[in-house]
């Protein structure tokens, strides 16, 4: 974040061998043991209004999904906005933080954590987390994953510049949220419903249990029914 504020260019990448205070949405802890995962931050810059910032960030999730599919032959599902799962177990978490004003986004720092070499998880997350090594039954090279992610992000970034609607169509194809029962928790309260659509700007449209369509821009969304996604 300091590099971004100092003017670091679009695509600046920071890698860490471990994190002492990895965190996710709503302050949740993200386990980041030394030598086990990929822990990176990517500076993203795009001349878009703040209302379109979600459309900038979904590309990172698509790039991770494509990189994993290329290297591992595994199709990850994207839980809105940008966490990645396989058969109900989380493989990759993202936290994206914006530096913006009312008119435009100055930069976005995409924090991405990918479980790679973990062979066991402790406590409650044992039921909800997995790693690339566990899913493939072989040792995956972390450097290869990072390289593939960067290659895919460059392709996704170019697609976003040329045809944002095409990028969102790819994002929707990877979605593990659309059509599912969800619980939405935001600063203004919570509600349950069914995820119906993702707009071209990246927001989630949920049909709540009272029959109203609600647009979700920033919230924690829990998906019921991720199990079985392949």
């Amino acid at each position: 974040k300091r590099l971004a504020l100092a003017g670091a260019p679009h695509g600046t990448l920071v890698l860490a061998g471990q994190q002492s205070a990895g965190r996710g949405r709503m302050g949740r802890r993200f386990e980041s043991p030394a030598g086990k995962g990929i822990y990176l931050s990517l500076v993203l810059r795009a001349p878009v209004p703040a209302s379109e910032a979600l459309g900038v960030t979904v590309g990172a999730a698509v790039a991770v999904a494509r990189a994993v599919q290329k290297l591992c032959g595994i199709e990850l599902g994207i839980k809105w906005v940008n966490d990645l799962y396989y058969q109900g177990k989380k493989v990759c978490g993202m936290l994206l933080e914006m530096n913006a004003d009312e008119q435009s986004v100055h930069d976005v720092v995409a924090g991405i954590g990918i479980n790679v070499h973990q062979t066991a998880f402790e406590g409650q997350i044992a039921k909800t987390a997995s790693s690339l090594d566990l899913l493939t039954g072989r040792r995956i090279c972390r450097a290869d994953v990072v390289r593939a992610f960067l290659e895919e992000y460059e392709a996704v970034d170019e697609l976003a510049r040329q045809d944002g609607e095409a990028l969102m169509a790819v994002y929707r194809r990877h979605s593990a949220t659309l059509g599912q029962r969800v619980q939405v928790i935001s600063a203004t309260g919570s509600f349950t419903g069914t995820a119906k659509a993702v707009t071209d700007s990246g927001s989630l449209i949920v049909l709540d249990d009272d029959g109203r369509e609600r647009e979700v821009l920033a919230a924690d969304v829990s998906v019921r029914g991720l199990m079985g996604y392949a």
Side-chain angles (χ1 to χ4, degrees):
K1 290 169 73 174
R2 288 195 295 268
L3 287 173
L5 289 171
H10 178 75
T12 297
L13 178 73
V14 177
L15 286 163
Q18 72 178 113
Q19 295 180 122
S20 59
R23 63 185 175 88
R25 191 178 284 271
M26 299 184 74
R28 295 190 182 96
R29 181 175 175 79
F30 186 88
E31 298 295 334
S32 315
K36 297 294 187 181
I38 294 167
Y39 318 117
L40 66 84
S41 292
L42 185 66
V43 177
L44 307 177
R45 296 188 185 277
V48 298
S51 61
E52 297 178 15
L54 280 175
V56 176
T57 63
V58 297
V62 171
V64 171
R66 285 183 163 185
V68 170
Q69 190 165 18
K70 178 195 296 183
L71 284 175
C72 306
I74 297 169
E75 184 176 349
L76 300 180
I78 302 172
K79 181 181 79 70
W80 189 89
V81 179
N82 43 31
D83 289 341
L84 290 105
Y85 284 72
Y86 183 77
Q87 294 186 346
K89 293 196 171 184
K90 189 173 182 177
V91 178
C92 172
M94 297 190 193
L95 181 65
L96 296 109
E97 297 178 296
M98 287 190 302
N99 174 30
D101 56 35
E102 292 182 359
Q103 283 72 43
S104 63
V105 176
H106 303 299
D107 61 73
V108 176
V109 176
I112 301 174
I114 305 174
N115 298 331
V116 182
H117 295 321
Q118 292 92 334
T119 56
F121 295 89
E122 297 180 357
Q124 284 295 107
I125 64 171
K127 299 178 181 179
T128 59
S130 191
S131 71
L132 297 182
D133 283 7
L134 285 173
L135 294 174
T136 61
R138 58 189 173 91
R139 189 171 178 85
I140 300 297
C141 176
R142 288 182 296 159
D144 287 347
V145 177
V146 173
R147 185 179 302 111
F149 164 71
L150 293 175
E151 290 171 351
E152 292 298 329
Y153 190 81
E154 285 188 353
V156 166
D157 193 33
E158 182 62 25
L159 177 62
R161 294 174 190 277
Q162 293 182 358
D163 190 345
E165 291 184 8
L167 171 60
M168 294 309 301
V170 175
Y171 178 82
R172 293 182 188 103
R173 287 199 295 273
H174 283 281
S175 176
T177 302
L178 292 178
Q180 301 288 347
R181 289 281 299 164
V182 298
Q183 181 179 33
V184 179
I185 303 174
S186 70
T188 58
S190 65
F191 65 92
T192 57
T194 301
K196 303 298 291 186
V198 175
T199 70
D200 285 342
S201 63
S203 58
L204 182 68
I205 304 300
V206 177
L207 182 67
D208 71 17
D209 291 340
D210 293 324
R212 296 175 297 169
E213 283 196 351
R214 301 172 69 162
E215 184 174 9
V216 180
L217 298 171
D220 185 66
V221 176
S222 298
V223 179
R224 301 171 186 176
L226 268 177
M227 296 299 291
Y229 183 87

